[in-house]
Amino acid sequence: MLGKRSDQLGLFEADHVYLDFVGRNSFYGFLASQRGKLFRDVDFAKLYCLDNGCLSVPPSLLATALLLQTYDRVSDEEAKARADFDLRWKVALGIELDARPFAKSTLQLFRSQLVIHEEVGTVFKKSLAFARQTGHLKNRKIKVALDTSNILGRGAVKDTYNLLADGIVKLVRVLADLNLSQPEEWAKANDLSRYFTAASIKGEAEVDWENGKARQKFLQGIVADADTLLETARQALSKYLPDSDEHKQLTEAASLLSQLLLQDIERKPEGASIKEGVSSDRVVSVHDPEMRHGRKSKAKRFDGHKAAIAVDTESQLITAVAVLPGNAPDKEKALALVEQSEQNADVEVEETIGDCAYGDGGTRQEFADAGRKMTAKVPDRPNTGYFAKEDFRIDLETMTCSCPAGQECRTVTPNGRRQDREGNDVQLQAFHFDPAVCDACPMRPQCVKTEPGKGRTVTIHPQERLLQEARAFQKSEAFGPYRKSRQAAEHRIARLMQLGMRQARYFGRTKTLFQLLLAATVANLTLVATKVGLMRARGSKKAHLFAHSVVRLVALTIGFILSFAISSSLTRLRCPQRRVAG
């Protein structure tokens, strides 16, 4: 049953006794000052039974503990210890010094409830609502900057041999559980014990790895075991209803093993072998099948996910987040982040700013179709040593193209097909310059790399007009401020990395999103807490200066009165006749 904290503060609670000792302007002091304001127990009522059972630990206290855990980057065990013994945590939680507020399992269960019911988004929105209340988020129309950064996955990344072995072990565990037996016993009965006796099947195998035939024979044995196990799983599926939990578990494990075989194994008449190259959507870990190979640049590769964020460029608040597959392009879900920003912060996004990853024609068209403005640099073309497309002047009104030598082309012909963002087949067009004109041109060596008899071809992009407008804008002086505005997202990503987002703490993108939302909440609250602390410090300084001025004025007044009295006494001593007359 839902447990609630009393609205009345206790005399012996740590925040009442030690708030100044810990520091009112610290993050711990800030959370203590917001008790009952930032989180309320009733906000989490739907996670609990309201009329039956024992009283729970107040969810507002547990939500605060999760923020502290993210801020200090500690484990569940350490979070429980700090709540029991750390004075700063006790002040932030508003509990008495001898209180032990929750067990580790209680914190884990509360986190699971937030993940299952998708309530962590509500916690994140609280940070934006609080920013609005404190005046940190003033405007109703904002500009947001988008950016991404890699998150290293939690699962172990292995080579093909061990990856297939992990897939076999996972399916064996499901089949053993359905047969009410231990995995090791089931594996022994089905001649699969070698997958349970060693941490690495490749490391324990007695194989001459320099011998190609020996390697292939070892691989074929693993593939044969996988095929046999998959056939066993297919036969077992017929025993369960399609909607049953057993059918779902078996299908999931069997599908994963099948995918591992398809992505890494090539079937040949002489036997199975490892495919050359890497599959585009390759599963890299059985423990976390949602991890992917990713790249932030040609030199920077990672295994895991991508964090995508939207940031208000003025207030620096994170307004929306998402977790993308590691192999997804940065521009994925760009429009969704903007729409989420409006819902989360109750604002209107009047402009979106991004780097060149968001500057392609498809993303610009998507924003234009939605009636939104996207400002991003058009990606640069590689330097090939020949005139680039930008050196040609394309007039879409007259459908003409002028080359650097001054020749004009009006010949437009089909130039292949491509798919747009929606998967529709689009016919491409291109300007084709007369081969005779190009052959006679003195600038041909700088322009055409084909043999004589062929002219230069300039492709017309499906979003050519949007790209032309973007290139013209980024060459103007008005584009300068946008480079600085885009840095807001980079700074907030750096803060998220400080809060531990470089490494995922959990398996899967759903739980990693939970981690990212909590980190974004803490990043927003620390930003607001800093401003509140500065305002409090300025107010305290003004009060101190005012008090100092009053004291000084009183001192000057008293001094003036004393000086006047002393002067009058001396005058009477010097002039006794006045004293007598008086």
Side-chain angles (χ1 to χ4, degrees):
M1 192 164 74
L2 177 65
K4 297 182 180 179
R5 306 188 74 176
S6 173
D7 294 333
Q8 185 175 358
L9 304 183
L11 291 176
F12 301 103
E13 291 171 347
D15 56 337
H16 180 75
V17 182
Y18 294 102
L19 180 58
D20 289 323
F21 180 76
V22 170
R24 292 180 180 270
N25 294 336
S26 67
F27 186 64
Y28 309 98
F30 168 75
L31 290 180
S33 67
Q34 301 306 317
R35 179 150 58 111
K37 302 175 184 177
L38 189 59
F39 299 125
R40 300 179 303 160
D41 294 314
V42 294
D43 296 334
F44 304 94
K46 67 179 182 180
L47 304 181
Y48 298 87
C49 177
L50 301 180
D51 56 1
N52 190 20
C54 299
L55 288 176
S56 68
V57 176
S60 60
L61 186 147
L62 294 173
T64 305
L66 287 176
L67 295 184
L68 290 169
Q69 182 184 25
T70 302
Y71 181 77
D72 284 342
R73 298 179 60 180
V74 296
S75 64
D76 292 339
E77 186 70 32
E78 180 64 19
K80 190 257 186 298
R82 294 201 180 193
D84 290 346
F85 307 114
D86 193 312
L87 181 60
R88 297 170 301 176
W89 278 52
K90 288 183 178 293
V91 168
L93 295 174
I95 57 177
E96 296 181 356
L97 287 182
D98 60 348
R100 297 191 175 186
F102 54 81
K104 183 176 74 171
S105 59
T106 303
L107 187 65
Q108 294 171 338
L109 180 60
F110 180 68
R111 181 193 299 117
S112 299
Q113 290 289 338
L114 291 178
V115 173
I116 292 172
H117 295 280
E118 299 180 352
E119 280 298 302
V120 70
T122 303
V123 175
F124 172 68
K125 291 178 183 178
K126 286 282 185 180
S127 68
L128 295 172
F130 183 77
R132 174 78 66 189
Q133 295 169 6
T134 54
H136 197 75
L137 183 61
K138 300 178 181 179
N139 299 330
R140 291 293 178 180
K141 290 186 178 182
I142 65 172
K143 296 179 181 180
V144 298
L146 305 181
D147 206 351
T148 65
S149 186
N150 60 291
I151 303 174
L152 303 179
R154 186 80 172 92
V157 180
K158 300 182 179 181
D159 60 17
T160 299
Y161 299 96
N162 286 309
L163 194 63
L164 288 173
D166 285 349
I168 290 172
V169 168
K170 184 170 184 177
L171 184 52
V172 165
R173 291 187 183 279
V174 175
L175 288 168
D177 184 57
L178 296 178
N179 284 274
L180 303 178
S181 62
Q182 294 297 320
E184 292 79 4
E185 296 175 359
W186 195 94
K188 184 177 181 180
N190 290 271
D191 198 22
L192 297 171
S193 295
R194 62 173 177 159
Y195 298 99
F196 286 85
T197 57
S200 170
I201 192 171
K202 181 180 177 182
E204 296 295 328
E206 296 181 358
V207 176
D208 181 8
W209 297 104
E210 300 296 327
N211 189 323
K213 292 184 178 179
R215 292 198 308 268
Q216 186 176 18
K217 182 179 179 181
F218 178 66
L219 177 66
Q220 289 174 353
I222 297 176
V223 172
D225 289 340
D227 290 339
T228 301
L229 193 59
L230 285 172
E231 181 59 33
T232 303
R234 292 189 195 96
Q235 296 175 6
L237 277 174
S238 60
K239 302 177 183 178
Y240 306 102
L241 295 174
D243 296 334
S244 64
D245 292 338
E246 295 83 358
H247 192 282
K248 181 179 179 181
Q249 294 174 9
L250 198 54
T251 301
E252 181 181 340
S255 298
L256 177 59
L257 182 55
S258 298
Q259 185 174 357
L260 297 177
L261 289 169
L262 288 172
Q263 71 181 17
D264 285 357
I265 302 302
E266 185 176 5
R267 310 277 184 164
K268 297 180 178 179
E270 60 271 19
S273 62
I274 297 178
K275 284 183 179 180
E276 294 184 3
V278 180
S279 300
S280 59
D281 199 38
R282 184 174 185 263
V283 175
V284 300
S285 173
V286 169
H287 305 96
D288 188 353
E290 293 184 323
M291 288 173 53
R292 293 292 184 270
H293 293 306
R295 286 187 180 275
K296 281 298 290 180
S297 65
K298 289 184 178 180
K300 189 174 182 180
R301 174 187 159 183
F302 66 93
D303 296 311
H305 320 283
K306 280 185 182 179
I309 68 169
V311 179
D312 174 20
T313 58
E314 181 177 350
S315 68
Q316 306 282 306
L317 290 167
I318 300 173
T319 55
V321 300
V323 175
L324 310 177
N327 58 350
D330 291 358
K331 62 187 178 181
E332 188 169 309
K333 292 188 177 180
L335 184 58
L337 283 172
V338 174
E339 294 170 347
Q340 288 175 20
S341 295
E342 293 184 332
Q343 296 174 4
N344 294 338
D346 190 22
V347 295
E348 178 185 343
V349 177
E350 59 181 359
E351 188 171 4
T352 304
I353 304 169
D355 57 18
C356 61
Y358 303 90
D360 64 296
T363 304
R364 294 181 189 277
Q365 188 65 58
E366 183 182 17
F367 273 71
D369 293 342
R372 297 185 180 276
K373 184 178 180 181
M374 162 62 78
T375 301
K377 183 181 177 182
V378 180
D380 294 328
R381 296 180 184 275
N383 185 9
T384 61
Y386 296 90
F387 288 131
K389 178 181 176 180
E390 288 72 29
D391 297 322
F392 292 76
R393 186 170 57 84
I394 300 175
D395 189 337
L396 296 176
E397 298 297 332
T398 60
M399 288 303 290
T400 58
C401 178
S402 300
C403 73
Q407 297 293 333
E408 185 178 275
C409 175
R410 293 177 176 271
T411 305
V412 180
T413 59
N415 191 44
R417 310 185 73 87
R418 63 176 291 183
Q419 286 188 338
D420 60 13
R421 294 176 66 92
E422 288 74 30
N424 301 319
D425 198 32
V426 178
Q427 174 68 62
L428 296 180
Q429 293 182 316
F431 290 99
H432 284 270
F433 283 81
D434 186 356
V437 174
C438 289
D439 288 344
C441 180
M443 304 179 74
R444 178 185 173 85
Q446 301 171 259
C447 185
V448 185
K449 57 183 177 181
T450 58
E451 65 277 6
K454 292 185 178 180
R456 175 66 185 260
T457 299
V458 179
T459 304
I460 304 174
H461 196 279
Q463 290 84 34
E464 187 67 43
R465 190 180 303 278
L466 291 174
L467 293 174
Q468 284 184 359
E469 293 172 356
R471 289 192 184 96
F473 179 67
Q474 72 188 38
K475 291 179 181 179
S476 66
E477 294 183 359
F479 187 72
Y482 287 93
R483 293 188 177 93
K484 186 175 181 180
S485 297
R486 190 173 59 81
Q487 294 176 2
E490 297 174 355
H491 294 162
R492 289 293 86 193
I493 281 181
R495 177 58 179 146
L496 292 175
M497 297 304 112
Q498 290 177 347
L499 293 170
M501 277 313 305
R502 180 62 71 207
Q503 176 68 60
R505 297 186 62 178
Y506 313 106
F507 295 111
R509 286 198 287 271
T510 299
K511 290 184 179 180
T512 302
L513 176 60
F514 171 88
Q515 180 186 353
L516 179 58
L517 282 167
L518 271 186
T521 303
V522 172
N524 284 347
L525 289 178
T526 51
L527 198 65
V528 176
T530 301
K531 181 177 181 180
V532 171
L534 289 174
M535 293 174 62
R536 187 184 293 120
R538 289 172 184 169
S540 177
K541 185 176 181 180
K542 288 181 180 179
H544 177 74
L545 290 174
F546 177 75
H548 179 73
S549 300
V550 170
V551 171
R552 186 177 181 184
L553 179 61
V554 171
L556 290 173
T557 302
I558 293 174
F560 176 77
I561 294 173
L562 290 175
S563 298
F564 179 77
I566 292 171
S567 177
S568 299
S569 299
L570 290 175
T571 302
R572 290 180 181 180
L573 289 173
R574 291 173 184 168
C575 306
Q577 66 276 14
R578 291 187 182 181
R579 187 172 64 253
V580 173

PDB file of all heavy atoms in Angstrom, residues 482-502:
ATOM      1  N   TYR A 482      24.869  30.537 -34.982  1.00  0.00           N
ATOM      2  CA  TYR A 482      24.360  29.170 -34.875  1.00  0.00           C
ATOM      3  C   TYR A 482      25.466  28.198 -34.476  1.00  0.00           C
ATOM      4  O   TYR A 482      25.198  27.177 -33.839  1.00  0.00           O
ATOM      5  CB  TYR A 482      23.725  28.744 -36.197  1.00  0.00           C
ATOM      6  CG  TYR A 482      22.403  29.423 -36.448  1.00  0.00           C
ATOM      7  CD1 TYR A 482      22.329  30.600 -37.171  1.00  0.00           C
ATOM      8  CD2 TYR A 482      21.223  28.888 -35.938  1.00  0.00           C
ATOM      9  CE1 TYR A 482      21.115  31.246 -37.392  1.00  0.00           C
ATOM     10  CE2 TYR A 482      20.007  29.518 -36.162  1.00  0.00           C
ATOM     11  CZ  TYR A 482      19.960  30.696 -36.884  1.00  0.00           C
ATOM     12  OH  TYR A 482      18.759  31.316 -37.086  1.00  0.00           O
ATOM     13  N   ARG A 483      26.699  28.492 -34.870  1.00  0.00           N
ATOM     14  CA  ARG A 483      27.809  27.633 -34.445  1.00  0.00           C
ATOM     15  C   ARG A 483      27.946  27.654 -32.925  1.00  0.00           C
ATOM     16  O   ARG A 483      28.199  26.620 -32.287  1.00  0.00           O
ATOM     17  CB  ARG A 483      29.109  28.096 -35.101  1.00  0.00           C
ATOM     18  CG  ARG A 483      29.151  27.911 -36.613  1.00  0.00           C
ATOM     19  CD  ARG A 483      30.552  28.208 -37.130  1.00  0.00           C
ATOM     20  NE  ARG A 483      30.654  27.972 -38.569  1.00  0.00           N
ATOM     21  CZ  ARG A 483      30.463  28.898 -39.490  1.00  0.00           C
ATOM     22  NH1 ARG A 483      30.144  30.133 -39.118  1.00  0.00           N
ATOM     23  NH2 ARG A 483      30.579  28.620 -40.770  1.00  0.00           N
ATOM     24  N   LYS A 484      27.772  28.834 -32.341  1.00  0.00           N
ATOM     25  CA  LYS A 484      27.867  28.955 -30.888  1.00  0.00           C
ATOM     26  C   LYS A 484      26.662  28.327 -30.203  1.00  0.00           C
ATOM     27  O   LYS A 484      26.793  27.676 -29.162  1.00  0.00           O
ATOM     28  CB  LYS A 484      27.980  30.431 -30.502  1.00  0.00           C
ATOM     29  CG  LYS A 484      28.223  30.651 -29.022  1.00  0.00           C
ATOM     30  CD  LYS A 484      28.441  32.128 -28.719  1.00  0.00           C
ATOM     31  CE  LYS A 484      28.708  32.331 -27.229  1.00  0.00           C
ATOM     32  NZ  LYS A 484      28.933  33.766 -26.905  1.00  0.00           N
ATOM     33  N   SER A 485      25.485  28.502 -30.774  1.00  0.00           N
ATOM     34  CA  SER A 485      24.270  27.932 -30.176  1.00  0.00           C
ATOM     35  C   SER A 485      24.323  26.416 -30.141  1.00  0.00           C
ATOM     36  O   SER A 485      23.841  25.779 -29.198  1.00  0.00           O
ATOM     37  CB  SER A 485      23.035  28.390 -30.962  1.00  0.00           C
ATOM     38  OG  SER A 485      22.888  29.792 -30.895  1.00  0.00           O
ATOM     39  N   ARG A 486      24.930  25.818 -31.173  1.00  0.00           N
ATOM     40  CA  ARG A 486      25.007  24.360 -31.232  1.00  0.00           C
ATOM     41  C   ARG A 486      25.859  23.781 -30.112  1.00  0.00           C
ATOM     42  O   ARG A 486      25.704  22.609 -29.734  1.00  0.00           O
ATOM     43  CB  ARG A 486      25.560  23.940 -32.602  1.00  0.00           C
ATOM     44  CG  ARG A 486      25.481  22.473 -32.885  1.00  0.00           C
ATOM     45  CD  ARG A 486      25.898  22.175 -34.311  1.00  0.00           C
ATOM     46  NE  ARG A 486      27.239  22.615 -34.601  1.00  0.00           N
ATOM     47  CZ  ARG A 486      28.347  21.931 -34.264  1.00  0.00           C
ATOM     48  NH1 ARG A 486      28.235  20.783 -33.608  1.00  0.00           N
ATOM     49  NH2 ARG A 486      29.538  22.384 -34.567  1.00  0.00           N
ATOM     50  N   GLN A 487      26.755  24.597 -29.548  1.00  0.00           N
ATOM     51  CA  GLN A 487      27.618  24.112 -28.480  1.00  0.00           C
ATOM     52  C   GLN A 487      26.842  23.783 -27.204  1.00  0.00           C
ATOM     53  O   GLN A 487      27.354  23.068 -26.348  1.00  0.00           O
ATOM     54  CB  GLN A 487      28.695  25.150 -28.169  1.00  0.00           C
ATOM     55  CG  GLN A 487      29.664  25.373 -29.310  1.00  0.00           C
ATOM     56  CD  GLN A 487      30.664  26.479 -29.015  1.00  0.00           C
ATOM     57  OE1 GLN A 487      30.656  27.067 -27.931  1.00  0.00           O
ATOM     58  NE2 GLN A 487      31.525  26.771 -29.975  1.00  0.00           N
ATOM     59  N   ALA A 488      25.621  24.304 -27.083  1.00  0.00           N
ATOM     60  CA  ALA A 488      24.811  24.005 -25.893  1.00  0.00           C
ATOM     61  C   ALA A 488      24.600  22.508 -25.746  1.00  0.00           C
ATOM     62  O   ALA A 488      24.684  21.960 -24.634  1.00  0.00           O
ATOM     63  CB  ALA A 488      23.463  24.726 -25.987  1.00  0.00           C
ATOM     64  N   ALA A 489      24.341  21.826 -26.858  1.00  0.00           N
ATOM     65  CA  ALA A 489      24.138  20.374 -26.799  1.00  0.00           C
ATOM     66  C   ALA A 489      25.439  19.662 -26.454  1.00  0.00           C
ATOM     67  O   ALA A 489      25.429  18.672 -25.704  1.00  0.00           O
ATOM     68  CB  ALA A 489      23.589  19.875 -28.139  1.00  0.00           C
ATOM     69  N   GLU A 490      26.558  20.139 -26.963  1.00  0.00           N
ATOM     70  CA  GLU A 490      27.844  19.513 -26.655  1.00  0.00           C
ATOM     71  C   GLU A 490      28.173  19.633 -25.168  1.00  0.00           C
ATOM     72  O   GLU A 490      28.677  18.690 -24.545  1.00  0.00           O
ATOM     73  CB  GLU A 490      28.948  20.157 -27.501  1.00  0.00           C
ATOM     74  CG  GLU A 490      28.766  19.953 -29.006  1.00  0.00           C
ATOM     75  CD  GLU A 490      29.781  20.724 -29.818  1.00  0.00           C
ATOM     76  OE1 GLU A 490      30.556  21.491 -29.204  1.00  0.00           O
ATOM     77  OE2 GLU A 490      29.806  20.559 -31.051  1.00  0.00           O
ATOM     78  N   HIS A 491      27.879  20.793 -24.576  1.00  0.00           N
ATOM     79  CA  HIS A 491      28.135  20.992 -23.147  1.00  0.00           C
ATOM     80  C   HIS A 491      27.265  20.079 -22.287  1.00  0.00           C
ATOM     81  O   HIS A 491      27.720  19.520 -21.282  1.00  0.00           O
ATOM     82  CB  HIS A 491      27.880  22.451 -22.775  1.00  0.00           C
ATOM     83  CG  HIS A 491      28.836  23.401 -23.419  1.00  0.00           C
ATOM     84  ND1 HIS A 491      28.590  24.759 -23.536  1.00  0.00           N
ATOM     85  CD2 HIS A 491      30.043  23.197 -24.007  1.00  0.00           C
ATOM     86  CE1 HIS A 491      29.598  25.342 -24.153  1.00  0.00           C
ATOM     87  NE2 HIS A 491      30.497  24.413 -24.454  1.00  0.00           N
ATOM     88  N   ARG A 492      26.013  19.915 -22.689  1.00  0.00           N
ATOM     89  CA  ARG A 492      25.107  19.058 -21.902  1.00  0.00           C
ATOM     90  C   ARG A 492      25.494  17.586 -22.034  1.00  0.00           C
ATOM     91  O   ARG A 492      25.355  16.816 -21.083  1.00  0.00           O
ATOM     92  CB  ARG A 492      23.661  19.266 -22.354  1.00  0.00           C
ATOM     93  CG  ARG A 492      23.082  20.605 -21.969  1.00  0.00           C
ATOM     94  CD  ARG A 492      22.913  20.750 -20.452  1.00  0.00           C
ATOM     95  NE  ARG A 492      24.113  21.235 -19.779  1.00  0.00           N
ATOM     96  CZ  ARG A 492      24.319  21.210 -18.475  1.00  0.00           C
ATOM     97  NH1 ARG A 492      23.404  20.661 -17.689  1.00  0.00           N
ATOM     98  NH2 ARG A 492      25.406  21.691 -17.962  1.00  0.00           N
ATOM     99  N   ILE A 493      25.974  17.189 -23.214  1.00  0.00           N
ATOM    100  CA  ILE A 493      26.458  15.816 -23.380  1.00  0.00           C
ATOM    101  C   ILE A 493      27.663  15.579 -22.485  1.00  0.00           C
ATOM    102  O   ILE A 493      27.799  14.517 -21.860  1.00  0.00           O
ATOM    103  CB  ILE A 493      26.793  15.536 -24.856  1.00  0.00           C
ATOM    104  CG1 ILE A 493      25.498  15.249 -25.626  1.00  0.00           C
ATOM    105  CG2 ILE A 493      27.753  14.367 -25.005  1.00  0.00           C
ATOM    106  CD1 ILE A 493      25.687  14.924 -27.082  1.00  0.00           C
ATOM    107  N   ALA A 494      28.543  16.577 -22.388  1.00  0.00           N
ATOM    108  CA  ALA A 494      29.701  16.450 -21.498  1.00  0.00           C
ATOM    109  C   ALA A 494      29.244  16.255 -20.053  1.00  0.00           C
ATOM    110  O   ALA A 494      29.832  15.464 -19.304  1.00  0.00           O
ATOM    111  CB  ALA A 494      30.584  17.690 -21.618  1.00  0.00           C
ATOM    112  N   ARG A 495      28.188  16.948 -19.656  1.00  0.00           N
ATOM    113  CA  ARG A 495      27.658  16.791 -18.296  1.00  0.00           C
ATOM    114  C   ARG A 495      27.075  15.399 -18.098  1.00  0.00           C
ATOM    115  O   ARG A 495      27.271  14.773 -17.038  1.00  0.00           O
ATOM    116  CB  ARG A 495      26.583  17.857 -18.043  1.00  0.00           C
ATOM    117  CG  ARG A 495      25.893  17.767 -16.675  1.00  0.00           C
ATOM    118  CD  ARG A 495      26.884  17.865 -15.556  1.00  0.00           C
ATOM    119  NE  ARG A 495      26.234  17.805 -14.255  1.00  0.00           N
ATOM    120  CZ  ARG A 495      26.763  17.242 -13.189  1.00  0.00           C
ATOM    121  NH1 ARG A 495      27.958  16.660 -13.269  1.00  0.00           N
ATOM    122  NH2 ARG A 495      26.125  17.237 -12.039  1.00  0.00           N
ATOM    123  N   LEU A 496      26.385  14.877 -19.097  1.00  0.00           N
ATOM    124  CA  LEU A 496      25.838  13.519 -19.000  1.00  0.00           C
ATOM    125  C   LEU A 496      26.954  12.489 -18.881  1.00  0.00           C
ATOM    126  O   LEU A 496      26.812  11.493 -18.160  1.00  0.00           O
ATOM    127  CB  LEU A 496      24.964  13.217 -20.222  1.00  0.00           C
ATOM    128  CG  LEU A 496      23.653  14.004 -20.336  1.00  0.00           C
ATOM    129  CD1 LEU A 496      22.965  13.694 -21.651  1.00  0.00           C
ATOM    130  CD2 LEU A 496      22.727  13.697 -19.172  1.00  0.00           C
ATOM    131  N   MET A 497      28.048  12.710 -19.580  1.00  0.00           N
ATOM    132  CA  MET A 497      29.177  11.794 -19.464  1.00  0.00           C
ATOM    133  C   MET A 497      29.776  11.843 -18.059  1.00  0.00           C
ATOM    134  O   MET A 497      30.212  10.824 -17.519  1.00  0.00           O
ATOM    135  CB  MET A 497      30.246  12.125 -20.502  1.00  0.00           C
ATOM    136  CG  MET A 497      29.789  11.973 -21.951  1.00  0.00           C
ATOM    137  SD  MET A 497      29.138  10.327 -22.344  1.00  0.00           S
ATOM    138  CE  MET A 497      27.396  10.698 -22.612  1.00  0.00           C
ATOM    139  N   GLN A 498      29.792  13.037 -17.441  1.00  0.00           N
ATOM    140  CA  GLN A 498      30.251  13.151 -16.056  1.00  0.00           C
ATOM    141  C   GLN A 498      29.363  12.350 -15.106  1.00  0.00           C
ATOM    142  O   GLN A 498      29.824  11.858 -14.075  1.00  0.00           O
ATOM    143  CB  GLN A 498      30.255  14.618 -15.619  1.00  0.00           C
ATOM    144  CG  GLN A 498      31.322  15.463 -16.277  1.00  0.00           C
ATOM    145  CD  GLN A 498      31.226  16.919 -15.861  1.00  0.00           C
ATOM    146  OE1 GLN A 498      30.236  17.359 -15.278  1.00  0.00           O
ATOM    147  NE2 GLN A 498      32.260  17.688 -16.183  1.00  0.00           N
ATOM    148  N   LEU A 499      28.100  12.221 -15.469  1.00  0.00           N
ATOM    149  CA  LEU A 499      27.150  11.480 -14.642  1.00  0.00           C
ATOM    150  C   LEU A 499      27.111   9.988 -14.990  1.00  0.00           C
ATOM    151  O   LEU A 499      26.216   9.280 -14.544  1.00  0.00           O
ATOM    152  CB  LEU A 499      25.748  12.090 -14.793  1.00  0.00           C
ATOM    153  CG  LEU A 499      25.595  13.505 -14.227  1.00  0.00           C
ATOM    154  CD1 LEU A 499      24.249  14.109 -14.639  1.00  0.00           C
ATOM    155  CD2 LEU A 499      25.725  13.511 -12.708  1.00  0.00           C
ATOM    156  N   GLY A 500      28.066   9.530 -15.788  1.00  0.00           N
ATOM    157  CA  GLY A 500      28.220   8.096 -16.025  1.00  0.00           C
ATOM    158  C   GLY A 500      27.567   7.539 -17.256  1.00  0.00           C
ATOM    159  O   GLY A 500      27.447   6.316 -17.389  1.00  0.00           O
ATOM    160  N   MET A 501      27.159   8.391 -18.197  1.00  0.00           N
ATOM    161  CA  MET A 501      26.436   7.884 -19.363  1.00  0.00           C
ATOM    162  C   MET A 501      27.345   7.304 -20.444  1.00  0.00           C
ATOM    163  O   MET A 501      26.843   6.765 -21.425  1.00  0.00           O
ATOM    164  CB  MET A 501      25.579   8.995 -19.983  1.00  0.00           C
ATOM    165  CG  MET A 501      24.247   9.198 -19.304  1.00  0.00           C
ATOM    166  SD  MET A 501      23.312   7.686 -18.989  1.00  0.00           S
ATOM    167  CE  MET A 501      23.205   6.945 -20.592  1.00  0.00           C
ATOM    168  N   ARG A 502      28.657   7.387 -20.289  1.00  0.00           N
ATOM    169  CA  ARG A 502      29.506   6.755 -21.288  1.00  0.00           C
ATOM    170  C   ARG A 502      29.369   5.246 -21.246  1.00  0.00           C
ATOM    171  O   ARG A 502      29.517   4.564 -22.265  1.00  0.00           O
ATOM    172  CB  ARG A 502      30.971   7.156 -21.048  1.00  0.00           C
ATOM    173  CG  ARG A 502      31.942   6.562 -22.041  1.00  0.00           C
ATOM    174  CD  ARG A 502      31.658   7.037 -23.465  1.00  0.00           C
ATOM    175  NE  ARG A 502      32.006   8.430 -23.644  1.00  0.00           N
ATOM    176  CZ  ARG A 502      31.429   9.227 -24.526  1.00  0.00           C
ATOM    177  NH1 ARG A 502      30.443   8.766 -25.290  1.00  0.00           N
ATOM    178  NH2 ARG A 502      31.794  10.491 -24.659  1.00  0.00           N
TER     179      ARG A 502
END
